[in-house]
Amino acid sequence: MMKTKVTKLYDVALIPTPEDIPEWRVDEAAVDGLVKALAVQHAVETQGDAVQTGDTVFCAARGALEDRTVLVYPGRSIPGAEQAEKALLGAGCGDTVKTELAGSPVSLTVQRIVRRTPAPIDDRLVREEKIDGVETVAAYRAYIKEKTQEQNRSLSAKHLSAALHDALVEKSDYQVDEEEQEAWTDKAAKEMLKMYEQEGIDPHIPEDGTDFLTDEEVLAQFKESLRSQYLSLAMSRAFCEQQGVTFGPEEQKLYAENGCTGDEAESGFMESKTWEILYNIAMERLEGTK
Amino acid sequence: MITEATAQTFDRLIDTEYAVVDCYGDFCGACVMLEPVYKEAAADMAGIRFIEINISHEWDIAERFGIDAMPTLLFFRNGREVHRIEGSMDREELNRQIAVMLYN
């Protein structure tokens, strides 16, 4: 049983929604954009006579990049190809232009000009997507709006639930068992150091480029950063108690089947349920926003 | 047009002059953000095969290429990896990464 306790759990209802939570609703202009994107995805390819902005130009190169077909995309300002994109405008198949690519002089001979024309936006285009029950442009507009909003709302809810979680940890009051906190953060810091080493990252090199850190300094930094994770365990227990969530026999059995028992299992369960409840609170809150 | 790959079809799909592979996964917010940018590039840029693979399920590919972040974009020329980048990005940044494959 965890010794550190929450003495006063902050009220989640008092935590304001941060202003930087992305807007999840999709307006009709955005739906227009999504429908146009569908038309572009189903574009018809034709051969062009003379290079225009928006084409893909397949070239043979001399002087540089001779080992490959050189692709140039006029109008897209691909880094390193800006000069070549302009130089090729108006060129036809078989024409050669002298220009520059990735800083090197090069001669490009046009082999092929591919032009993609967006498909017409009509019911036939929608039917090509083979979405159950969606066979008209109007139905597709409704479908894509709902699907995009669902995705956006889920992402925004994740952002918001993280903000609610962090605020609960920060703003709640605790009676901290210093010995327990020290033992927990010490163990976690050593595990973190091991993980860094396995990933090939040297934590002894500080970000500000000053003197190398000793092992003790690295561990001290890790322990400081892990303190909020430790407090989060206490917060999750208090939050679950407030929400009427208990780690009962069925839940214990499930965790034991996965090799996790005792305090570790209980902490894992409480944290997981806390995140789940905060996510639901976030979804409800977002649903209520204009 | 983006082609969904599996471990079985992967080698055949990257065996082309230019290929980009979006290694995405389940419950990955950054992958969701990259999706429309990647789709736009795929629709716009002929001559490059745009591929995607769900490495939450295709673990063999994740292990083979040492992928530990999602999304990771892998860039291939004639079946050989020439470049990679991790994380979501806007179209301008994606263009910058594609340029490495095309012109380096």
Side-chain angles (χ1 to χ4, degrees), chain B residues 41-81:
Chain B
D44 184 37
M45 300 173 98
I48 300 172
R49 183 172 290 164
F50 285 83
I51 301 162
E52 61 185 8
I53 187 163
N54 186 338
I55 55 166
S56 291
H57 304 299
E58 304 289 350
W59 297 343
D60 287 349
I61 297 296
E63 201 175 312
R64 178 176 155 194
F65 288 95
I67 296 167
D68 54 17
M70 295 183 293
T72 293
L73 293 182
L74 303 174
F75 298 83
F76 295 87
R77 239 188 355 253
N78 297 313
R80 280 185 58 240
E81 184 186 340

Side-chain angles (χ1 to χ4, degrees), chain A residues 40-41 45 56 58 65 68-69 71-73 76 78-79 81 101-102 114 116 155 199, chain B residues 17-18 29 32 39 42-48 68 77 95-96 99 101-104:
Chain A
V40 167
Q41 279 163 42
E45 268 189 20
T56 299
F58 291 66
L65 306 180
R68 66 191 78 169
T69 308
L71 302 178
V72 183
Y73 299 93
R76 273 69 129 226
I78 306 294
L101 261 181
V114 172
R116 284 183 172 170
L155 268 177
E199 293 290 318
Chain B
E17 188 156 18
Y18 297 106
V32 171
K39 269 188 176 160
D44 184 37
M45 300 173 98
I48 300 172
D68 54 17
R77 239 188 355 253
N95 283 352
R96 214 183 327 270
M101 173 182 67
L102 293 178
Y103 309 131
N104 278 20

